[in-house]
Every structure is written in structure tokens, then in C-alpha cells.
Coordinates of all heavy atoms in Angstrom, one line a residue:
M294 N 58.9 63.0 -62.1 CA 59.9 62.6 -61.2 C 60.2 61.1 -61.3 O 59.3 60.3 -61.3 CB 59.3 62.9 -59.8 CG 60.4 63.4 -58.7 SD 59.9 63.5 -57.1 CE 60.8 64.8 -56.5
S295 N 61.4 60.8 -61.4 CA 61.8 59.5 -61.7 C 61.7 58.7 -60.3 O 61.7 59.2 -59.3 CB 63.2 59.3 -62.1 OG 64.2 59.7 -61.3
T296 N 61.7 57.4 -60.4 CA 61.6 56.5 -59.1 C 62.8 56.7 -58.2 O 62.7 56.9 -57.0 CB 61.6 55.0 -59.6 OG1 60.8 54.8 -60.6 CG2 61.2 54.1 -58.4
V297 N 64.0 56.9 -58.8 CA 65.1 57.2 -57.9 C 64.9 58.4 -57.2 O 65.2 58.4 -55.9 CB 66.4 57.4 -58.8 CG1 67.6 57.8 -58.1 CG2 66.8 56.1 -59.6
Y298 N 64.4 59.4 -57.8 CA 64.2 60.7 -56.9 C 63.1 60.6 -55.9 O 63.2 61.2 -54.8 CB 64.1 62.0 -57.8 CG 65.3 62.3 -58.6 CD1 65.6 62.0 -59.8 CD2 66.2 63.1 -57.8 CE1 66.9 62.3 -60.3 CE2 67.4 63.5 -58.3 CZ 67.8 63.1 -59.7 OH 68.8 63.5 -60.2
R299 N 62.1 59.8 -56.2 CA 61.1 59.4 -55.3 C 61.7 58.9 -54.0 O 61.3 59.1 -52.9 CB 59.9 58.7 -55.9 CG 58.7 59.5 -56.2 CD 57.5 58.8 -56.4 NE 57.8 57.7 -57.4 CZ 57.4 57.9 -58.8 NH1 56.9 59.0 -59.1 NH2 57.5 56.9 -59.6
V300 N 62.5 57.8 -54.3 CA 63.2 57.1 -53.2 C 64.0 58.1 -52.4 O 63.9 58.0 -51.1 CB 63.9 55.9 -53.8 CG1 64.8 55.3 -52.7 CG2 63.0 54.8 -54.2
L301 N 64.8 58.9 -53.0 CA 65.7 59.8 -52.3 C 64.9 60.8 -51.6 O 65.3 61.2 -50.4 CB 66.6 60.6 -53.4 CG 67.7 59.7 -53.9 CD1 68.4 60.4 -55.1 CD2 68.8 59.3 -52.9
D302 N 63.8 61.3 -52.1 CA 62.9 62.2 -51.4 C 62.4 61.6 -50.1 O 62.2 62.1 -49.1 CB 61.7 62.5 -52.3 CG 61.5 64.1 -52.4 OD1 62.4 64.8 -52.6 OD2 60.4 64.4 -52.0
F303 N 62.0 60.3 -50.2 CA 61.5 59.5 -49.0 C 62.5 59.5 -48.1 O 62.3 59.7 -46.9 CB 61.0 58.1 -49.5 CG 60.6 57.2 -48.4 CD1 59.4 57.4 -47.8 CD2 61.5 56.2 -47.9 CE1 59.0 56.6 -46.7 CE2 61.1 55.4 -47.0 CZ 59.8 55.6 -46.3
F304 N 63.8 59.1 -48.4 CA 64.8 59.0 -47.5 C 65.2 60.3 -46.9 O 65.6 60.4 -45.7 CB 66.2 58.5 -48.2 CG 66.2 57.0 -48.4 CD1 66.8 56.4 -49.5 CD2 65.5 56.2 -47.5 CE1 66.9 55.0 -49.7 CE2 65.4 54.8 -47.8 CZ 66.2 54.2 -48.8
E305 N 65.1 61.4 -47.6 CA 65.3 62.7 -47.1 C 64.3 63.0 -46.0 O 64.7 63.6 -45.0 CB 65.2 63.7 -48.2 CG 65.7 65.1 -47.8 CD 65.1 66.3 -48.5 OE1 64.4 66.0 -49.6 OE2 65.5 67.4 -48.3
K306 N 63.1 62.7 -46.2 CA 62.0 63.0 -45.2 C 62.3 62.2 -43.9 O 62.1 62.6 -42.8 CB 60.7 62.6 -45.7 CG 60.2 63.7 -46.8 CD 58.7 63.5 -47.1 CE 58.3 64.6 -48.1 NZ 58.6 64.1 -49.5
K307 N 62.9 61.0 -44.2 CA 63.2 60.1 -43.0 C 64.4 60.4 -42.3 O 64.9 60.0 -41.2 CB 63.3 58.6 -43.4 CG 61.9 58.0 -43.8 CD 61.1 57.7 -42.7 CE 59.7 57.1 -43.2 NZ 58.8 57.2 -42.2
G308 N 65.2 61.3 -42.9 CA 66.5 61.8 -42.3 C 67.6 60.9 -42.6 O 68.8 60.9 -42.0
V309 N 67.5 60.0 -43.6 CA 68.6 59.0 -44.0 C 69.5 59.6 -44.9 O 70.8 59.5 -44.8 CB 68.0 57.8 -44.7 CG1 69.0 56.8 -45.1 CG2 66.8 57.0 -43.8
V310 N 69.1 60.5 -45.7 CA 70.0 61.2 -46.6 C 69.7 62.8 -46.4 O 68.7 63.2 -46.0 CB 69.8 60.9 -48.1 CG1 70.2 59.4 -48.4 CG2 68.4 61.2 -48.5
I311 N 70.7 63.5 -46.8 CA 70.6 65.0 -46.7 C 70.7 65.5 -48.1 O 71.5 65.1 -49.0 CB 71.8 65.6 -45.9 CG1 71.6 65.3 -44.4 CG2 71.9 67.1 -46.1 CD1 72.8 65.6 -43.7
K312 N 69.8 66.3 -48.5 CA 69.7 66.9 -49.9 C 70.3 68.3 -49.8 O 70.0 69.2 -48.9 CB 68.3 67.1 -50.3 CG 68.2 67.6 -51.8 CD 66.9 67.1 -52.5 CE 65.8 68.0 -52.2 NZ 64.6 67.6 -52.9
T313 N 71.4 68.5 -50.6 CA 71.9 69.9 -50.7 C 71.6 70.4 -52.1 O 71.9 69.7 -53.2 CB 73.4 69.9 -50.5 OG1 73.7 69.2 -49.1 CG2 74.0 71.2 -50.5
R314 N 71.0 71.5 -52.2 CA 70.8 72.1 -53.5 C 71.9 72.9 -53.9 O 72.5 73.8 -53.1 CB 69.3 72.9 -53.4 CG 68.2 72.0 -53.3 CD 66.8 72.7 -53.6 NE 65.9 71.7 -53.7 CZ 65.7 71.0 -54.9 NH1 66.3 71.3 -55.8 NH2 64.6 70.3 -54.9
V315 N 72.3 72.9 -55.1 CA 73.4 73.7 -55.6 C 73.0 74.4 -56.9 O 72.0 74.0 -57.5 CB 74.7 72.9 -55.9 CG1 75.2 72.4 -54.5 CG2 74.4 71.8 -56.8
M316 N 73.6 75.3 -57.4 CA 73.5 76.1 -58.7 C 72.1 76.6 -58.8 O 71.2 76.3 -59.5 CB 73.7 75.1 -59.8 CG 75.1 74.6 -60.0 SD 76.4 75.8 -60.4 CE 76.0 76.2 -62.1
N317 N 71.7 77.5 -57.7 CA 70.4 78.0 -57.6 C 69.3 77.1 -57.8 O 68.2 77.3 -58.6 CB 70.2 79.2 -58.8 CG 71.1 80.3 -58.4 OD1 71.3 80.7 -57.3 ND2 71.6 80.9 -59.5
N318 N 69.3 75.9 -57.0 CA 68.4 74.9 -57.1 C 68.2 74.1 -58.3 O 67.3 73.4 -58.5 CB 66.9 75.4 -56.7 CG 66.9 75.8 -55.2 OD1 67.8 75.5 -54.4 ND2 65.9 76.6 -54.8
E319 N 69.1 74.3 -59.3 CA 69.0 73.6 -60.5 C 69.5 72.1 -60.3 O 68.9 71.2 -60.9 CB 69.9 74.1 -61.5 CG 69.3 75.3 -62.2 CD 70.3 76.0 -63.3 OE1 71.1 75.3 -64.0 OE2 70.4 77.2 -63.3
M320 N 70.3 71.9 -59.4 CA 70.7 70.6 -59.1 C 70.6 70.2 -57.6 O 70.6 71.1 -56.8 CB 72.2 70.5 -59.5 CG 72.4 70.6 -61.0 SD 74.2 70.9 -61.3 CE 74.8 69.3 -60.9
A321 N 70.7 68.9 -57.4 CA 70.6 68.5 -56.0 C 71.7 67.5 -55.7 O 71.9 66.5 -56.6 CB 69.1 68.0 -55.5
V322 N 72.3 67.4 -54.6 CA 73.1 66.5 -54.2 C 72.7 65.8 -53.1 O 72.2 66.3 -52.0 CB 74.6 67.1 -53.8 CG1 75.6 66.0 -53.4 CG2 75.2 67.9 -55.1
Y323 N 72.8 64.4 -53.1 CA 72.3 63.7 -52.1 C 73.4 62.9 -51.3 O 74.3 62.4 -52.0 CB 71.3 62.6 -52.4 CG 69.9 63.0 -52.9 CD1 69.8 63.4 -54.3 CD2 68.8 63.1 -52.0 CE1 68.5 64.0 -54.6 CE2 67.7 63.7 -52.5 CZ 67.6 64.1 -53.7 OH 66.3 64.6 -54.1
E324 N 73.5 62.8 -50.1 CA 74.5 62.0 -49.3 C 73.8 61.4 -48.1 O 72.9 62.0 -47.6 CB 75.7 62.9 -49.0 CG 75.5 63.9 -48.1 CD 76.7 64.6 -47.6 OE1 77.8 63.9 -47.7 OE2 76.7 65.9 -47.4
L325 N 74.5 60.5 -47.6 CA 74.0 59.8 -46.4 C 74.2 60.8 -45.2 O 75.2 61.4 -45.1 CB 74.8 58.5 -46.2 CG 74.4 57.3 -47.0 CD1 75.3 56.1 -46.8 CD2 73.0 56.9 -46.7
N326 N 73.3 60.7 -44.3 CA 73.2 61.5 -43.2 C 74.3 61.0 -42.1 O 74.1 60.0 -41.6 CB 71.9 61.7 -42.5 CG 71.8 62.6 -41.5 OD1 72.7 63.3 -41.2 ND2 70.6 62.8 -41.0
R327 N 75.4 61.7 -42.1 CA 76.4 61.3 -41.2 C 76.6 62.4 -40.1 O 76.2 63.4 -40.3 CB 77.8 61.1 -41.8 CG 77.8 59.7 -42.7 CD 79.1 59.7 -43.6 NE 78.8 60.8 -44.5 CZ 79.7 61.0 -45.5 NH1 80.7 60.1 -45.7 NH2 79.6 62.0 -46.3
F328 N 77.4 62.1 -39.1 CA 77.7 63.1 -38.2 C 78.4 64.4 -38.8 O 78.2 65.4 -38.6 CB 78.4 62.6 -36.9 CG 78.6 63.6 -35.9 CD1 77.7 64.2 -35.1 CD2 79.9 64.0 -35.6 CE1 77.9 65.0 -34.2 CE2 80.2 65.0 -34.6 CZ 79.1 65.5 -33.9
K329 N 79.4 64.0 -39.6 CA 80.2 65.0 -40.2 C 79.7 65.2 -41.6 O 79.6 64.3 -42.4 CB 81.7 64.5 -40.3 CG 82.5 65.8 -40.3 CD 84.0 65.3 -40.3 CE 85.0 66.3 -40.7 NZ 84.9 67.7 -40.1
H330 N 79.1 66.5 -41.8 CA 78.7 66.7 -43.2 C 79.7 67.2 -44.1 O 80.9 67.4 -43.7 CB 77.6 67.7 -43.0 CG 78.1 69.1 -42.5 ND1 78.2 69.3 -41.2 CD2 78.6 70.1 -43.0 CE1 78.7 70.6 -40.9 NE2 79.0 71.0 -42.0
K331 N 79.4 67.2 -45.4 CA 80.4 67.7 -46.5 C 79.8 68.9 -47.2 O 78.6 69.0 -47.3 CB 80.6 66.5 -47.4 CG 81.9 65.9 -46.9 CD 82.3 64.9 -48.1 CE 83.7 64.3 -47.8 NZ 83.9 63.2 -48.6
H332 N 80.6 69.6 -47.7 CA 80.3 70.6 -48.7 C 80.9 70.4 -50.1 O 81.7 69.7 -50.2 CB 80.9 72.0 -48.2 CG 80.3 72.5 -46.9 ND1 79.0 72.8 -46.8 CD2 80.8 72.6 -45.7 CE1 78.8 73.1 -45.6 NE2 79.8 72.9 -44.8
Y333 N 80.3 71.0 -51.0 CA 80.6 70.7 -52.4 C 81.0 71.9 -53.2 O 80.5 73.1 -53.0 CB 79.5 70.1 -53.1 CG 79.1 68.8 -52.4 CD1 78.1 68.7 -51.5 CD2 79.7 67.6 -52.7 CE1 77.7 67.6 -50.8 CE2 79.5 66.4 -52.3 CZ 78.4 66.3 -51.2 OH 78.2 65.2 -50.5
A334 N 82.1 71.8 -54.1 CA 82.3 72.9 -55.0 C 81.7 72.5 -56.3 O 81.9 71.3 -56.8 CB 83.9 72.9 -55.0
V335 N 81.2 73.4 -57.0 CA 80.4 73.0 -58.3 C 81.2 73.8 -59.5 O 81.5 75.0 -59.3 CB 79.1 73.5 -58.2 CG1 78.2 73.1 -59.6 CG2 78.3 72.8 -57.0
C336 N 81.6 73.1 -60.5 CA 82.2 73.7 -61.6 C 81.0 74.5 -62.4 O 80.0 73.9 -62.7 CB 82.8 72.7 -62.6 SG 83.4 73.4 -64.0
M337 N 81.2 75.7 -62.6 CA 80.2 76.6 -63.3 C 80.1 76.3 -64.7 O 79.0 76.6 -65.3 CB 80.6 78.1 -63.2 CG 80.5 78.6 -61.7 SD 81.7 80.1 -61.5 CE 80.6 81.3 -62.3
N338 N 81.0 75.7 -65.3 CA 81.0 75.3 -66.8 C 80.4 73.9 -67.1 O 79.4 73.8 -67.7 CB 82.4 75.3 -67.3 CG 82.5 75.3 -68.8 OD1 81.7 76.0 -69.5 ND2 83.1 74.3 -69.4
C339 N 81.0 72.9 -66.4 CA 80.4 71.5 -66.8 C 79.6 71.0 -65.6 O 79.0 69.8 -65.7 CB 81.5 70.6 -67.0 SG 82.6 70.2 -65.6
H340 N 79.3 71.8 -64.5 CA 78.5 71.3 -63.4 C 79.0 70.1 -62.7 O 78.2 69.4 -62.0 CB 76.9 71.1 -63.9 CG 76.3 72.5 -64.3 ND1 75.0 72.6 -64.5 CD2 76.9 73.7 -64.4 CE1 74.7 73.9 -64.9 NE2 75.8 74.5 -64.8
K341 N 80.3 69.8 -62.8 CA 80.9 68.8 -62.0 C 80.9 69.2 -60.5 O 81.1 70.3 -60.2 CB 82.3 68.5 -62.3 CG 83.1 67.4 -61.9 CD 84.1 66.8 -62.7 CE 85.4 67.4 -62.4 NZ 86.5 67.0 -63.2
I342 N 80.6 68.2 -59.7 CA 80.6 68.5 -58.3 C 81.6 67.8 -57.5 O 81.9 66.5 -57.7 CB 79.1 68.0 -57.6 CG1 78.0 68.9 -58.3 CG2 79.1 68.1 -56.1 CD1 76.7 68.3 -58.1
I343 N 82.4 68.5 -56.9 CA 83.6 67.9 -56.0 C 83.3 68.2 -54.5 O 83.2 69.3 -54.2 CB 84.9 68.7 -56.5 CG1 85.1 68.4 -58.1 CG2 86.1 68.2 -55.8 CD1 85.9 69.5 -58.7
A344 N 83.6 67.1 -53.9 CA 83.3 67.2 -52.4 C 84.6 67.9 -51.8 O 85.7 67.7 -52.1 CB 83.1 65.7 -51.9
M345 N 84.3 68.7 -50.7 CA 85.3 69.3 -49.9 C 85.6 68.5 -48.7 O 84.7 67.9 -48.1 CB 84.9 70.7 -49.6 CG 85.1 71.6 -50.7 SD 84.6 73.3 -50.1 CE 83.0 73.4 -50.6
D346 N 86.9 68.3 -48.3 CA 87.2 67.5 -47.2 C 86.8 68.2 -45.9 O 86.6 67.5 -44.8 CB 88.7 67.2 -47.1 CG 89.0 66.0 -48.2 OD1 87.9 65.2 -48.4 OD2 90.1 65.9 -48.6
N347 N 87.0 69.6 -45.8 CA 86.9 70.2 -44.7 C 85.6 71.1 -44.6 O 85.1 71.4 -45.7 CB 88.2 71.1 -44.3 CG 88.3 72.2 -45.3 OD1 87.8 72.1 -46.5 ND2 88.9 73.3 -44.9
C348 N 85.2 71.5 -43.5 CA 84.2 72.5 -43.3 C 84.7 73.8 -42.9 O 85.1 73.9 -41.8 CB 83.1 72.0 -42.3 SG 81.9 73.1 -42.0
P349 N 84.8 74.9 -43.6 CA 85.3 76.1 -43.2 C 84.5 76.8 -42.2 O 84.8 77.8 -41.5 CB 85.4 76.9 -44.5 CG 84.5 76.2 -45.5 CD 84.3 74.9 -45.1
M350 N 83.3 76.5 -42.0 CA 82.4 77.0 -41.1 C 82.2 76.2 -39.8 O 81.2 76.5 -39.0 CB 81.0 77.3 -41.7 CG 81.1 78.5 -42.7 SD 79.7 78.4 -43.8 CE 78.4 79.1 -42.9
E351 N 83.1 75.3 -39.6 CA 82.8 74.4 -38.5 C 82.8 75.1 -37.1 O 82.0 74.9 -36.2 CB 83.9 73.4 -38.4 CG 83.5 72.0 -37.8 CD 84.3 70.8 -38.5 OE1 85.5 71.0 -38.3 OE2 83.7 69.9 -38.9
K352 N 83.7 76.1 -37.0 CA 83.8 76.9 -35.8 C 83.1 78.2 -35.8 O 83.2 79.0 -34.9 CB 85.2 77.0 -35.3 CG 85.9 75.8 -35.1 CD 87.3 76.0 -34.5 CE 87.9 74.6 -34.1 NZ 88.1 73.7 -35.2
F353 N 82.3 78.4 -36.9 CA 81.6 79.6 -37.1 C 80.3 79.6 -36.2 O 79.3 78.7 -36.3 CB 81.3 79.7 -38.5 CG 80.3 80.9 -38.8 CD1 80.6 82.1 -38.9 CD2 79.0 80.6 -39.2 CE1 79.9 83.2 -39.1 CE2 78.2 81.6 -39.5 CZ 78.6 82.9 -39.5
I354 N 80.1 80.6 -35.4 CA 78.9 80.8 -34.5 C 78.3 82.1 -34.9 O 78.8 83.1 -34.8 CB 79.3 80.8 -33.0 CG1 80.0 79.5 -32.7 CG2 78.0 81.0 -32.2 CD1 80.8 79.6 -31.4
P355 N 77.1 81.9 -35.6 CA 76.5 83.1 -36.1 C 75.9 83.9 -35.1 O 75.4 83.4 -34.0 CB 75.3 82.5 -37.1 CG 75.1 81.2 -36.6 CD 76.4 80.6 -36.0
E356 N 75.9 85.3 -35.2 CA 75.2 86.1 -34.2 C 73.8 86.4 -34.7 O 73.6 87.0 -35.8 CB 76.1 87.5 -34.1 CG 77.0 87.3 -33.1 CD 77.9 88.7 -32.9 OE1 77.3 89.7 -33.1 OE2 79.1 88.7 -32.8
L357 N 72.9 86.0 -33.8 CA 71.5 86.2 -34.3 C 70.8 87.2 -33.3 O 71.1 87.3 -32.2 CB 70.8 84.9 -34.2 CG 71.3 83.8 -35.1 CD1 70.8 82.3 -34.7 CD2 70.9 84.0 -36.6
E358 N 69.9 87.9 -33.9 CA 69.0 88.9 -33.1 C 68.2 88.1 -32.2 O 67.9 88.6 -31.1 CB 68.2 89.6 -34.1 CG 68.9 90.9 -34.6 CD 68.0 91.7 -35.4 OE1 66.9 92.0 -35.1 OE2 68.5 92.2 -36.5
E359 N 67.7 86.9 -32.6 CA 67.0 86.0 -31.8 C 67.8 85.2 -30.8 O 68.7 84.5 -31.3 CB 66.1 85.1 -32.6 CG 64.9 85.8 -33.3 CD 63.7 85.7 -32.4 OE1 63.7 85.1 -31.3 OE2 62.7 86.5 -32.7
D360 N 67.7 85.4 -29.6 CA 68.4 84.4 -28.6 C 68.0 83.1 -28.6 O 68.7 82.2 -28.2 CB 68.3 85.1 -27.2 CG 69.3 86.4 -27.1 OD1 70.1 86.6 -28.0 OD2 68.9 87.2 -26.1
D361 N 66.7 82.8 -28.9 CA 66.1 81.5 -28.8 C 66.3 80.7 -30.1 O 65.8 79.6 -30.1 CB 64.6 81.8 -28.6 CG 64.3 82.1 -27.0 OD1 65.3 82.1 -26.3 OD2 63.2 82.6 -26.8
F362 N 67.1 81.1 -30.9 CA 67.2 80.3 -32.2 C 68.4 79.4 -32.0 O 69.5 79.8 -31.6 CB 67.5 81.3 -33.4 CG 67.4 80.6 -34.7 CD1 66.2 80.5 -35.4 CD2 68.7 80.2 -35.3 CE1 66.2 79.7 -36.6 CE2 68.6 79.5 -36.5 CZ 67.4 79.4 -37.1
H363 N 68.2 78.2 -32.3 CA 69.2 77.1 -32.2 C 69.6 76.7 -33.7 O 68.9 76.3 -34.5 CB 68.7 75.8 -31.5 CG 68.5 76.1 -30.1 ND1 69.5 75.9 -29.1 CD2 67.4 76.5 -29.4 CE1 68.9 76.2 -27.9 NE2 67.7 76.7 -28.1
V364 N 71.0 77.0 -33.9 CA 71.4 76.6 -35.2 C 71.7 75.2 -35.3 O 72.4 74.6 -34.5 CB 72.7 77.4 -35.5 CG1 73.4 77.0 -36.8 CG2 72.5 78.9 -35.5
M365 N 71.1 74.5 -36.3 CA 71.2 73.0 -36.4 C 72.2 72.7 -37.5 O 72.7 71.5 -37.7 CB 69.9 72.4 -36.8 CG 68.8 72.7 -35.7 SD 69.2 72.1 -34.1 CE 68.9 70.3 -34.3
G366 N 72.5 73.6 -38.5 CA 73.4 73.3 -39.6 C 73.5 74.5 -40.4 O 73.0 75.6 -40.1
H367 N 74.2 74.4 -41.6 CA 74.4 75.5 -42.5 C 74.6 75.0 -43.9 O 74.8 73.8 -44.0 CB 75.6 76.3 -42.1 CG 76.8 75.5 -41.9 ND1 77.4 75.1 -40.7 CD2 77.5 74.9 -42.9 CE1 78.5 74.4 -40.9 NE2 78.6 74.2 -42.2
N368 N 74.5 75.8 -44.8 CA 74.6 75.5 -46.2 C 75.8 76.3 -46.8 O 75.8 77.5 -46.5 CB 73.4 75.8 -46.9 CG 73.0 74.6 -47.8 OD1 73.7 74.1 -48.4 ND2 71.6 74.4 -47.8
L369 N 76.7 75.8 -47.5 CA 77.7 76.6 -48.2 C 78.0 76.1 -49.5 O 77.9 74.9 -49.8 CB 78.9 76.3 -47.4 CG 80.2 76.9 -47.8 CD1 80.3 78.4 -47.6 CD2 81.6 76.4 -47.2
E370 N 78.0 77.1 -50.5 CA 78.1 76.7 -51.8 C 79.3 77.3 -52.3 O 79.6 78.5 -52.2 CB 76.9 77.2 -52.7 CG 76.9 76.6 -54.1 CD 75.5 76.9 -54.7 OE1 74.5 76.9 -54.0 OE2 75.6 77.3 -55.8
V371 N 80.2 76.4 -52.9 CA 81.5 77.0 -53.5 C 81.4 76.7 -55.0 O 81.0 75.6 -55.4 CB 82.7 76.4 -52.9 CG1 84.0 76.8 -53.6 CG2 82.8 76.8 -51.4
F372 N 81.7 77.8 -55.9 CA 81.6 77.5 -57.3 C 82.8 78.1 -57.9 O 83.5 79.0 -57.4 CB 80.4 78.1 -57.9 CG 80.0 79.5 -57.4 CD1 80.5 80.5 -58.2 CD2 79.2 79.7 -56.4 CE1 80.2 81.8 -57.8 CE2 79.0 81.0 -55.9 CZ 79.3 82.1 -56.7
G373 N 83.2 77.5 -59.1 CA 84.4 77.9 -59.8 C 84.6 77.1 -61.2 O 83.6 76.8 -61.6
L374 N 85.7 76.8 -61.4 CA 86.0 76.1 -62.7 C 86.9 74.8 -62.2 O 87.9 74.9 -61.5 CB 86.7 76.9 -63.7 CG 85.9 78.0 -64.3 CD1 86.8 78.8 -65.2 CD2 84.7 77.4 -65.1
C375 N 86.6 73.6 -62.7 CA 87.3 72.4 -62.6 C 88.5 72.6 -63.4 O 88.6 73.4 -64.3 CB 86.5 71.2 -62.8 SG 86.1 70.7 -64.5
K376 N 89.4 71.6 -63.2 CA 90.7 71.7 -63.9 C 90.5 71.5 -65.4 O 91.3 71.9 -66.3 CB 91.7 70.7 -63.4 CG 91.6 69.2 -63.5 CD 92.9 68.5 -63.1 CE 92.9 67.0 -63.5 NZ 91.7 66.2 -63.0
D377 N 89.5 70.6 -65.8 CA 89.2 70.4 -67.2 C 88.7 71.8 -68.0 O 88.9 71.9 -69.1 CB 88.1 69.4 -67.3 CG 88.6 68.0 -67.0 OD1 89.8 67.8 -67.0 OD2 87.9 67.2 -66.5
C378 N 88.0 72.5 -67.2 CA 87.3 73.8 -67.7 C 88.2 75.1 -67.6 O 88.1 76.0 -68.3 CB 86.1 74.0 -67.1 SG 84.8 72.6 -67.3
Y379 N 89.2 74.9 -66.6 CA 90.0 76.0 -66.4 C 91.3 76.0 -67.2 O 92.2 75.2 -67.0 CB 90.4 76.2 -64.9 CG 91.3 77.4 -64.6 CD1 90.6 78.6 -64.3 CD2 92.7 77.2 -64.5 CE1 91.4 79.6 -64.0 CE2 93.4 78.3 -64.1 CZ 92.8 79.5 -63.9 OH 93.5 80.6 -63.5
S380 N 91.3 76.8 -68.3 CA 92.5 76.9 -69.1 C 93.0 78.3 -69.2 O 92.1 79.3 -69.3 CB 92.2 76.3 -70.5 OG 91.1 76.9 -71.1
E381 N 94.2 78.5 -69.2 CA 94.9 79.8 -69.2 C 95.0 80.4 -70.6 O 95.2 79.6 -71.6 CB 96.1 79.8 -68.4 CG 95.9 79.7 -66.9 CD 97.1 79.5 -66.2 OE1 97.9 80.5 -65.8 OE2 97.5 78.3 -65.9
Ligands
ZN543 ZN1 84.3 71.8 -65.4
ZN544 ZN1 79.9 72.7 -42.9

């Protein structure tokens, strides 16, 4: 593990950054912990990561069997092909 990742891991534990795992945990995206979170689209071919401006699940309230469960967040992964990889 490189120093950069150790520092990011430390920040993650402190809640300074949020780690989002993409591509079946093969890659991780770090970002500063802000009130408004972001989601990412990942290119399946070149693994380029593009941030999405909106959260499609912002108004989504999951129905849970457990009444006592408090939802604190969610994870959403969008994958496809970037414009460099998508050719007709
Ligand atoms: Zn691509
Ligand atoms: Zn969201």
C-alpha cells in the first residue's frame, strides 16, 4: 500500500473523505466529505471515471422490513462506455 493510500485510508476513517468502490472493488474513488455526495459513471473499457451532477436516488426512500433501520446513505454504480470507447 502506497503512502497516498495510507493517508486516504486515514482520512476515510476520520470521515474527511468518502471512499466509493467501483468495478467490483477493483478501484476506489476518494472525494471530500461534503453534504451533497456524488455518484460516478465508470467506462467499462478504459475505466475512466466521470462524476454525475445529480443523484437519481435523492428522493428514494427504501422500504425496509426493519422499522428501526436508519438509512444514512447509498451507493450507486453506473457503468457504460465513454465517448472515446463508444464507436458505432
Ligand atoms: Zn472509455
Ligand atoms: Zn446519491
